[in-house]
Amino acid sequence: MKASAKANPNFALVKYWGKRDEKLKLPQNSSISLTVSDFFTHTTIEFSEKYERDELVLNKKKYLPKNKEYENIKEFLNQARKISGTSLRAKVVSKNNFPTSAGFASSASGFSALATAVNQALSLKLGKKGLSILARMGSGSASRSIFSGFSEWKKGKKKDGSDCFAVQLKDNNYWNDIRIIACIISKKKKSIKSRKAMRETVKTSPMYGCWLENIENDLEKTRHAIEKKDFSLLGKTAEHNCLKMHSLMWTTIPPIIYQEPKTIEIIKKVFEMRDNGLECYFTMDAGPQVKILCLRRSVPAIIENILGIAKERFVLKPGRGARVSQNHLF
Ligand code: DP6
């Protein structure tokens, strides 16, 4: 009853922001993302009678009951225990090879890896759809990291969430030329977690209705851009969608502003590069980091332009979906 899994984060091109059900993590809108290479979470879980309570070690740090991370994972394990009919406690050890909780979608890779490991350890025999639903119960965006490449998380209509899961649009080999340059602006933990931030937005931003009215249009354009490999349409739509999401955050009461001065500097640099004929677009999530979308041939010139602003950068490709690993962490 011990298993390990690895999963990569995904960056949303059309964002998920706002829930219709907090407990089941059902979103107000569908979203589309790209699972990326290189960054991953590696997780090992063991269910056993020898554990009197769930044990959790994340990035070498031990977490105890009452801590938020601990309670989130315990709640997730309770859902899995319900499916399998076991009451066994578990030990979870997990580590990321990239900054945690800084806007690099570590909850997406984290819960996607955990769902995959749990499925194996408890022999739940869930397919991709079931895994996506299980991962979603940990963190909404994790539903998409089950898949490689481009995926769409369908918002669904049902109250029980049984029609709310991600599907693959195209795998990681489909559009080899796409690159995401992940720029590290700050490694500080974020000021407010996306879960709380989106709850506040839905409650207080007067723009939220407008976000929902426009979202189908962005989804349609993005699906089309992926299908046709139309990079300009993909980039323009993703950048605009990201700005709309951040406008929601800025107009939340009290306002939620994840940007740091260097975030704005990079954004302006992206505009400048585009004006000079170097095609690239940006997207940002719940943190100060900027992800620059571009094609492979533009990477060297873009790096040259941002050298002085983002000291640490990672050039990521479309990446693999969650997978079982034979390599145990304990
Ligand atoms: C800005 O999936 O972290 O990255 O479901 O509450 O765990 P919970 O939220 P989470 O939110 C991700 C928000 C986002 C946009 C996105 O990934 O679509």
Side-chain angles (χ1 to χ4, degrees):
M1 299 191 92
K2 182 174 186 173
S4 298
K6 287 184 180 174
N8 299 19
N10 67 77
F11 297 141
L13 302 169
V14 179
K15 312 286 186 189
Y16 144 55
W17 200 251
K19 293 182 179 62
R20 65 183 163 91
D21 184 309
E22 289 282 334
K23 190 164 163 27
L24 292 174
K25 309 210 174 46
L26 305 179
Q28 292 263 6
N29 63 278
S30 299
S31 52
I32 295 179
S33 66
L34 179 62
T35 298
V36 295
S37 65
D38 297 77
F39 286 180
F40 63 84
T41 301
H42 183 181
T43 300
T44 300
I45 188 163
E46 180 180 41
F47 288 88
S48 166
E49 277 170 357
K50 68 183 171 206
Y51 303 119
E52 282 174 11
R53 59 170 170 79
D54 292 323
E55 292 185 16
L56 175 65
V57 180
L58 296 181
N59 293 314
K60 298 196 175 141
K61 189 174 159 211
K62 201 170 166 163
Y63 286 78
L64 297 171
K66 301 250 158 49
N67 169 281
K68 233 185 180 150
E69 308 284 347
Y70 180 95
E71 294 302 326
N72 275 343
I73 288 183
K74 184 176 149 196
E75 176 62 33
F76 175 84
L77 295 175
N78 286 343
Q79 308 261 17
R81 281 188 276 258
K82 214 155 94 190
I83 302 175
S84 83
T86 182
S87 58
L88 289 175
R89 306 287 114 183
K91 175 173 178 175
V92 177
V93 175
S94 185
K95 58 175 195 194
N96 294 331
N97 70 344
F98 60 98
T100 300
S101 279
F104 278 140
S106 53
S107 69
S109 53
F111 278 104
S112 174
L114 186 57
T116 305
V118 163
N119 187 37
Q120 184 77 1
L122 293 178
S123 304
L124 299 179
K125 299 199 167 57
L126 298 174
K128 297 272 187 205
K129 172 180 157 183
L131 271 176
S132 179
I133 290 179
L134 182 60
R136 186 206 76 213
M137 302 215 256
S139 180
S141 54
S143 64
R144 301 182 306 232
S145 270
I146 296 298
F147 298 98
S148 70
F150 294 98
S151 61
E152 175 167 351
W153 174 20
K154 307 272 186 195
K155 69 176 176 178
K157 284 194 181 106
K158 295 188 182 161
K159 273 204 155 144
D160 66 359
S162 57
D163 59 352
C164 180
F165 50 86
V167 294
Q168 178 140 70
L169 296 177
K170 299 288 178 190
D171 73 15
N172 53 327
N173 297 313
Y174 168 75
W175 196 350
N176 273 322
D177 273 357
I178 289 272
R179 293 290 179 276
I180 290 192
I181 306 176
C183 304
I184 301 198
I185 302 290
S186 160
K187 285 187 183 168
K188 272 192 296 198
K189 281 222 169 194
K190 51 186 149 188
S191 47
I192 168 168
K193 293 226 171 206
S194 38
R195 185 160 304 169
K196 181 164 182 229
M198 63 175 85
R199 193 183 306 134
E200 297 302 316
T201 295
V202 175
K203 260 199 283 180
T204 66
S205 171
M207 316 290 224
Y208 197 70
C210 171
W211 163 259
L212 292 181
E213 271 168 38
N214 276 280
I215 204 85
E216 264 318 310
N217 195 17
D218 287 354
L219 289 163
E220 193 44 51
K221 279 193 201 156
T222 303
R223 284 184 211 113
H224 182 81
I226 294 169
E227 197 56 52
K228 299 283 175 219
K229 295 192 183 167
D230 180 341
F231 178 66
S232 303
L233 181 63
L234 187 82
K236 268 183 213 157
T237 312
E239 187 176 288
H240 188 60
N241 181 268
C242 157
L243 287 171
K244 284 191 283 192
M245 177 182 73
H246 283 276
S247 311
L248 295 177
M249 299 177 187
W250 280 53
T251 49
T252 294
I253 303 167
I256 299 160
I257 299 180
Y258 285 114
Q259 288 77 16
E260 299 280 341
K262 280 201 186 292
T263 314
I264 307 292
E265 238 185 283
I266 296 216
I267 290 177
K268 295 206 164 171
K269 193 49 114 179
V270 167
F271 293 153
E272 187 189 305
M273 288 190 275
R274 271 213 308 267
D275 285 346
N276 293 331
L278 187 56
E279 192 171 17
C280 57
Y281 302 89
F282 65 82
T283 188
M284 304 172 287
D285 293 291
Q289 328 302 2
V290 181
K291 293 110 192 181
I292 301 178
L293 284 167
C294 64
L295 292 174
R296 181 170 48 180
R297 61 171 180 270
S298 313
V299 170
I302 294 172
I303 299 272
E304 181 82 28
N305 269 279
I306 59 171
L307 272 181
I309 314 173
K311 297 271 177 285
E312 232 182 307
R313 305 156 303 267
F314 296 88
V315 181
L316 310 174
K317 303 176 197 162
R320 297 164 68 191
R323 62 264 175 208
V324 170
S325 161
Q326 300 311 325
N327 194 353
H328 298 318
L329 293 173
F330 65 92

